[in-house]
Amino acid sequence: ISDFRSDTVTLPTPAMREAMARAELGDDVLGTEPTAIKLEAMTAELLGKEAGLFVPSGTMGNQIAIALHAQRGQEVICEFGAHTYNNESGALALIAGAQVRPVNGKAGVMDPAQVEAMVRPANIHNPRTALITVENTHNAAGGTIVPMDNIRALAEIARKHGLKYHLDGARLWNAHVATGTPLREMCAPFDTVNVCLSKGLCSPVGSVLVGSREEIERGRYLRKQLGGGMRQSGILAACGIVSITQMIARLKDDHTNARKLAEGLARLPGVQLDLASVQTNIIYFSVPGREAQYPQWLERLKQQKVLAMTLGNRWRLVTHHDVDTQDCDRALAAFK
């Protein structure tokens, strides 16, 4: 099966399975889980922050960060297509009790002038703006990369107005590999950063939230409230250590495969695909006027052992560790 539905379908590598079997274990809630502690410290060091917190999912990591920075009734500025706003089941309103003021970005990138205009003036009638969030790479825009000059401009706005600044870096690894920008440099402008281990890095479960020591300790308390205390979590954290030490550099292969597949799809009659948006490992395209046929096409692809996904009027294909060049060739042949 060639599965292009998501980079979340990757399976643990043999090295991860061996690391799981050999992991030294304790109790995470009691603070005696040595492998989880090691993963947290390694990730924080890698990203240039004081401390880290291993969490079951990227959604939990993002929502803990938002709850750290925004109080009930306050407001969060994010891009209109942001995962935290659209794909986390309304958790921002449920957990932090905050509301969202979205900005219509271009390829997931927000205009700093527009963001600053969205910051609420001090007024008894207005919610207080508390937080700006950025998603890099941007999932809904096609894995597009937010440029560092934009990230720094938004950081200046946050500091000017006394706001916190959070990065949803679920695929930050992809942005790092694609641009060559050091991870510490990419994370430096932000108060907190959430990175995912279970997408292109192949861990079966988990993300790590990093920030100041004080913020992470408060985050640990919130994680417990949300049911995220995982006891012998070292079995999972062991995979995360393999992810951040062995799996980051190979993401370039996923990007190469995505580009090859996208260029082939763009040549097919009737396909609309913006090659400029294929910057990492995600491909969006459409076949205008034939949307009603998408369900039948999905079934035909499945019969040819190719799994894909449609979202509304768009197709979404994602390359990852468990699909190679031959899988891309099979997918392209199936779409023809």
Side-chain angles (χ1 to χ4, degrees), residues 304-331:
Q304 297 181 66
K305 297 187 178 181
V306 175
L307 301 182
M309 179 183 291
T310 58
L311 298 171
N313 65 351
R314 299 192 298 173
W315 288 80
R316 179 178 185 263
L317 304 181
V318 185
T319 54
H320 51 79
H321 178 266
D322 292 345
V323 296
D324 58 19
T325 300
Q326 290 182 334
D327 291 295
C328 294
D329 290 340
R330 176 191 284 180

Side-chain angles (χ1 to χ4, degrees), residues 16 30 38 101 151 184 194 212 221 228 288 292 298 325:
M16 289 178 181
L30 298 180
K38 181 178 179 181
R101 199 166 200 202
I151 285 173
R184 283 178 163 233
N194 186 69
S212 71
Y221 184 77
L298 282 167
T325 300

Side-chain angles (χ1 to χ4, degrees), residues 94-131:
L94 179 67
I95 296 168
Q99 67 182 38
V100 176
R101 199 166 200 202
V103 174
N104 280 308
K106 183 177 181 181
V109 178
M110 296 182 286
D111 177 4
Q114 189 176 1
V115 169
E116 186 158 28
M118 289 285 194
V119 178
R120 300 279 192 174
N123 187 303
I124 194 172
H125 301 287
N126 295 337
R128 186 175 78 82
T129 307
L131 172 66

